[in-house]
Amino acid sequence: MNTKDKIMKSTFKLLLEKGLIDVSLSEIIKESQVGYGSIYYYFEDKDQLIQTVLNRYIIEIFLNQLESIKLTDDLFHNLNEFYMKVLGLNEDYTYISYENLSIDNSDFKKMILLTFEAQQKYEKEQEFFNQYNIKFTSTIKDIINKGIKSNQVAGDINIDEITELIKSNIYGIFFLWLIRDIEDVESSIKINVNYIMDVLT
């Protein structure tokens, strides 16, 4: 692993442990075992380092999850896969991994919280998350349109309203996830997907 990657990986680990506000440059240096010079060789300051880490280890992960969705002619399958990918899950309901970083339920919750913090602190991060939201929204619409084409969704359905309903439903799961553990994630996803199926069909 090169020095820049080592710094970024160490920073990401500290962000998960401490949150955005409480991570200091001295802690990053200690964790990554490099000198101040190495930090400033690659990054202008701590804020640029943190934003680069957020983009690589959170936004990229979230976008990769959406882009990895393979839509089929099965509406339930498409909705189920969408929910799983957005919630950071693999097909076997384990959590995603990235660049040899294993992410568990607790880490994924912290990643969600970091996205909220980042949008409050960094204007540029708002732009990146807006891009994610555009992809998030367009994926939902793709699923609905595919359902209409395969006659699994009524053709006269209001796509914009249903898209907002699905987004609200997923944000509700995020909120519940943050305030308490969902013990049976598989069942929780299926309950929500079945609810959306009832609305669509």
Side-chain angles (χ1 to χ4, degrees), residues 20 50-51 54 58-59 112-126 129:
L20 197 66
I50 287 175
Q51 288 182 81
L54 291 170
I58 296 183
I59 295 173
I112 296 168
L113 288 172
L114 283 169
T115 67
F116 298 146
E117 286 184 89
Q119 290 178 78
Q120 298 298 317
K121 185 168 173 60
Y122 302 116
E123 188 175 322
K124 199 163 189 178
E125 294 309 302
Q126 291 176 13
F129 285 110

Side-chain angles (χ1 to χ4, degrees), residues 46 60 70 98 106 110 143 145 174 183 185 192 199:
K46 186 180 89 168
E60 270 190 31
K70 303 284 190 291
Y98 183 72
S106 175
K110 290 172 187 173
I143 291 169
N145 281 318
F174 278 144
E183 292 179 11
V185 176
N192 283 281
V199 172

Side-chain angles (χ1 to χ4, degrees), residues 152-170:
Q152 295 173 78
V153 174
D156 60 351
I157 203 161
N158 187 314
I159 294 175
D160 290 330
E161 285 183 7
I162 294 299
T163 299
E164 288 306 309
L165 174 68
I166 293 172
K167 287 169 73 173
S168 298
N169 182 257
I170 288 175

Side-chain angles (χ1 to χ4, degrees), residues 68-96:
S68 69
I69 294 172
K70 303 284 190 291
L71 297 183
T72 69
D73 289 328
D74 184 332
L75 179 62
F76 181 88
H77 170 271
N78 293 340
L79 286 167
N80 193 67
E81 183 170 12
F82 177 75
Y83 272 68
M84 287 179 64
K85 295 288 187 180
V86 168
L87 296 170
L89 296 164
N90 297 309
E91 288 180 8
D92 61 356
Y93 292 90
T94 58
Y95 285 85
I96 53 178

